């Protein structure tokens, strides 16, 4: 198998950006103002919830963190501003950035497709999808660069699919950040790949590849809330992003002005069948489901997160199966 050094390069200066050296404890860092776009979506609302719970621990129920190191008590206060402009309305975004003068921007805005990513396959939707998921993201990044603002964008791990060099379920051969995307059967994924290509010239961007984001919060967009209702499931090991674990890491990366591309999931993989068995054990012993063969029309992958976890200020992230057990235990106690 190819080593990290042997993997084909996707980003250039973007991936070569030097990782920062921690010079101050996390608790002593200056609180940076961060402007969030896309606050009403699943990812954005979960980010907002974490910020509110961190600043006022009694104001809202905090997700049960699956690692002692990721508790909100260890994170400094978060100065989070919610963007009012739509990212495709350039003049409104420009005025907002120039007026608020944030230190950092998080863009959780984007189209996900309704009811699912098959929405992107309709040619009538291609123009809007490209405008929001590519053009507006790059324009926002350019404005942040002009104003010397750190900018975080989110991508997808589903630009990858298991292959001979990355066997199904093999956690030791996960795709690294430099791996060339090898799957583009969906138009949504094609746009993700195009966005990654366009990021090459930028040095002010933190690009995080998330995969099947989940959380302990009861949001309708939470994949786990949907999964436990399906009578039939296709089951193949895959990487997951437990936002309970990763959102604290997101803000630590921003506080340290980290830039570059990172796989942003928990270590390891879990299949739908394994997830439901943990849920059945801890939450609902009567749950039943039927496993069907996985579709070739959907990708699955394991992502290598060693680049992320090598940062000395990033806590030890739990394996996704351990993370799920803690998450479902919190549901059982609710």
């Amino acid at each position: 198998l190819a080593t990290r050094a042997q993997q084909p390069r996707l980003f250039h200066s973007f991936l070569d950006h030097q990782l920062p050296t921690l010079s101050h404890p996390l608790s002593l860092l200056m609180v940076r103002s961060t402007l969030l776009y896309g606050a009403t979506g699943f990812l954005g609302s979960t980010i907002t919830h974490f910020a509110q719970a961190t600043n006022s621990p009694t104001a809202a129920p905090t997700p049960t963190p699956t690692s002692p190191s990721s508790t909100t008590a260890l994170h400094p206060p978060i100065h989070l501003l919610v963007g009012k402009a739509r990212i495709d309305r350039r003049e409104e975004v420009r005025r907002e950035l120039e007026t608020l003068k944030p230190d950092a921007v998080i863009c959780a805005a984007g189209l996900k497709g309704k009811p699912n990513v098959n929405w992107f396959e309709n040619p009538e939707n291609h123009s809007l999808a490209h405008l929001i998921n590519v053009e507006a993201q790059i324009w926002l990044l350019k404005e942040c660069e002009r104003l010397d603002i750190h900018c975080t964008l989110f991508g997808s791990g589903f630009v990858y699919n298991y292959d001979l060099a990355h066997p199904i379920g093999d956690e030791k051969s996960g795709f690294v950040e430099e791996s060339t995307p090898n799957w583009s059967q969906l138009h949504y994924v094609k746009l993700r790949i195009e966005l990654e290509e366009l990021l090459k010239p930028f040095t002010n961007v933190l690009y995080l590849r998330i995969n099947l984001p989940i959380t302990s919060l009861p949001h309708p967009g939470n994949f786990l809330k949907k999964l436990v209702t399906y009578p039939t499931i296709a089951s193949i090991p895959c990487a997951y992003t437990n936002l309970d674990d990763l959102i604290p890491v997101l803000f630590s990366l921003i506080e340290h002005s980290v830039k570059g591309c990172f796989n942003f999931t928990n270590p390891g993989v879990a299949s739908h069948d394994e997830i439901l068995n943990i849920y059945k054990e801890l939450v609902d012993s009567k749950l039943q489901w039927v496993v069907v063969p996985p579709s070739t029309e959907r990708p699955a992958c394991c992502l290598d997160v060693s680049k992320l976890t090598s940062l000395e200020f990033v806590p030890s992230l739990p394996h996704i199966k351990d993370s799920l057990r803690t998450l479902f235990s919190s549901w059982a106690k609710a």
Side-chain angles (χ1 to χ4, degrees):
L1 298 180
T3 63
R4 178 183 287 269
Q6 296 169 333
Q7 290 280 0
R9 305 293 290 184
L10 173 60
F11 298 86
H12 299 289
S13 60
F14 178 59
L15 272 173
D16 294 330
H17 191 89
Q18 286 294 105
L19 298 178
T21 301
L22 181 63
S23 58
H24 302 287
L26 182 60
S27 60
L28 297 181
L29 289 171
M30 181 181 298
V31 177
R32 310 182 79 201
S33 62
T34 302
L35 177 61
L36 172 65
Y37 287 106
T40 59
F42 170 49
L43 178 58
S45 63
T46 308
I47 291 171
T48 301
H49 179 97
F50 174 79
Q52 292 173 341
T54 299
N55 296 338
S56 303
T58 60
T62 308
T64 302
T66 53
S67 167
S69 300
S70 65
T71 56
T72 56
L74 296 180
H75 204 285
I78 296 170
H79 184 198
L80 187 68
L81 308 168
V82 175
K84 296 181 179 179
R86 288 174 52 95
I87 62 169
D88 58 321
R89 295 176 179 172
R90 297 186 175 187
E91 289 305 315
E92 293 180 18
V93 171
R94 178 181 284 120
R95 285 196 298 270
E96 197 162 52
L97 290 173
E98 293 176 347
T99 300
L100 296 177
K101 296 180 173 60
D103 298 303
V105 165
I106 299 174
C107 183
L111 297 176
K112 301 297 183 285
K114 291 184 179 181
N116 52 46
V117 292
N118 290 335
W119 177 89
F120 289 85
E121 301 308 305
N122 185 341
E124 295 181 357
N125 298 328
H126 285 185
S127 179
L128 178 61
H130 194 272
L131 172 64
I132 302 299
N133 285 12
V134 179
E135 296 171 38
Q137 309 268 336
I138 292 298
W139 186 85
L140 174 62
L141 186 53
K142 289 180 178 178
E143 283 299 292
C144 287
E145 184 178 59
R146 179 178 69 85
L147 297 169
D148 194 24
I149 298 172
H150 181 280
C151 185
T152 300
L153 300 179
F154 294 96
S156 172
F158 280 147
V159 297
Y160 301 118
N161 193 27
Y162 290 121
D163 57 18
L164 291 177
H166 308 85
I168 294 176
D170 185 356
E171 298 182 358
K172 295 181 180 180
S173 62
F175 291 91
V176 298
E177 286 79 2
E178 300 90 346
S179 298
T180 301
N182 68 346
W183 197 90
S184 59
Q185 294 183 28
L186 291 174
H187 190 72
Y188 172 81
V189 177
K190 291 178 181 178
L191 295 180
R192 296 288 92 185
I193 294 173
E194 181 180 355
L195 178 63
E196 290 197 0
E197 286 292 322
L198 292 172
L199 293 178
K200 287 181 180 180
F202 295 93
T203 57
N204 66 318
V205 60
L206 172 63
Y207 187 71
L208 303 176
R209 291 197 189 114
I210 61 176
N211 220 54
L212 295 171
I214 59 176
T215 175
S216 57
L217 295 173
H219 191 283
N222 189 352
F223 175 73
L224 292 179
K225 287 291 185 180
K226 302 174 185 178
L227 180 63
V228 298
T229 67
Y230 295 157
T232 61
I233 61 166
S235 190
I236 186 170
C238 199
Y240 284 82
T241 299
N242 186 347
L243 298 174
D244 295 357
D245 299 320
L246 273 301
I247 287 180
V249 176
L250 162 65
F251 280 102
S252 293
L253 294 172
I254 293 172
E255 290 288 345
H256 287 84
S257 297
V258 176
K259 306 175 185 71
C261 177
F262 289 84
N263 292 334
F264 206 59
T265 69
N266 288 75
V269 293
S271 69
H272 292 173
D273 191 46
E274 289 173 321
I275 293 172
L276 290 182
N277 273 301
I278 297 173
Y279 179 86
K280 184 173 183 177
E281 174 191 347
L282 298 175
V283 182
D284 183 2
S285 61
K286 297 180 180 179
L287 185 69
Q288 295 183 340
W289 64 94
V290 175
V291 178
V292 298
S295 170
T296 58
E297 297 179 357
R298 292 291 188 269
C301 63
C302 175
L303 298 181
D304 184 319
V305 294
S306 58
K307 179 181 177 182
L308 177 67
T309 57
S310 69
L311 298 175
E312 58 182 311
F313 57 84
V314 172
S316 176
L317 293 172
H319 189 283
I320 186 56
K321 292 176 185 176
D322 296 328
S323 184
L324 285 162
R325 296 192 72 86
T326 303
L327 188 157
F328 285 140
S329 293
S330 72
W331 283 13
K333 297 174 182 176

